[in-house]
Amino acid sequence: MSTERVPVSVDVTLPRDGVALLTVEGFLDVDTVPELRRHLSDQVSRGRHHLLLDLAAVSFMDSSGINALLQAREQTRSVGGSVRLISPTPTVRRILDLTGVNTAPRVAARPPVGG
């Protein structure tokens, strides 16, 4: 397994008014998170208060990455928006689960019919 660090890249698309899809690729750590934070903050300042973060290509995330997600969630909530995670890798999902961070809404199970 390679120990070479992968820089982060963030691609932003605008699926509709007020919404930004940020496709993140690489490592999210103390060295690369400022780039992600810059993109997140920029989108909110441009009036895109609902952020979708596609994490399917994020191979590693440390506590600074978690902190950036939480900060973005608070920033968007303060203006009536939201942050949703899309397809976190198993590694990232495990980190989110272990730390209790959950930025995606839970879907309640429907009660059984007739009972």
Side-chain angles (χ1 to χ4, degrees):
M1 177 155 83
S2 173
T3 59
E4 182 180 336
R5 295 203 39 212
V6 178
V8 71
S9 69
V10 180
D11 181 52
V12 179
T13 56
L14 308 173
R16 63 179 190 262
D17 284 346
V19 178
L21 170 62
L22 293 88
T23 303
V24 185
E25 183 176 346
F27 274 46
L28 285 177
D29 63 16
V30 70
D31 295 325
T32 62
V33 159
E35 178 73 9
L36 175 62
R37 283 189 176 158
R38 183 180 63 76
H39 282 283
L40 293 168
S41 182
D42 182 55
Q43 294 309 308
V44 174
S45 70
R46 292 173 181 256
R48 299 174 192 122
H49 299 159
H50 298 282
L51 305 178
L52 307 172
L53 278 76
D54 183 343
L55 303 178
V58 174
S59 53
F60 175 81
M61 182 171 64
D62 69 6
S63 61
S64 59
I66 292 168
N67 199 6
L69 296 178
L70 292 173
Q71 185 179 30
R73 182 172 67 178
E74 291 308 310
Q75 187 179 14
T76 58
R77 279 185 177 176
S78 72
V79 292
S82 61
V83 172
R84 298 289 181 255
L85 303 182
I86 300 170
S87 302
T89 59
T91 301
V92 171
R93 170 56 65 194
R94 180 163 164 72
I95 292 166
L96 295 171
D97 290 344
L98 287 172
T99 59
V101 174
N102 183 4
T103 58
R106 295 205 181 267
V107 177
R110 288 186 173 183
V113 175

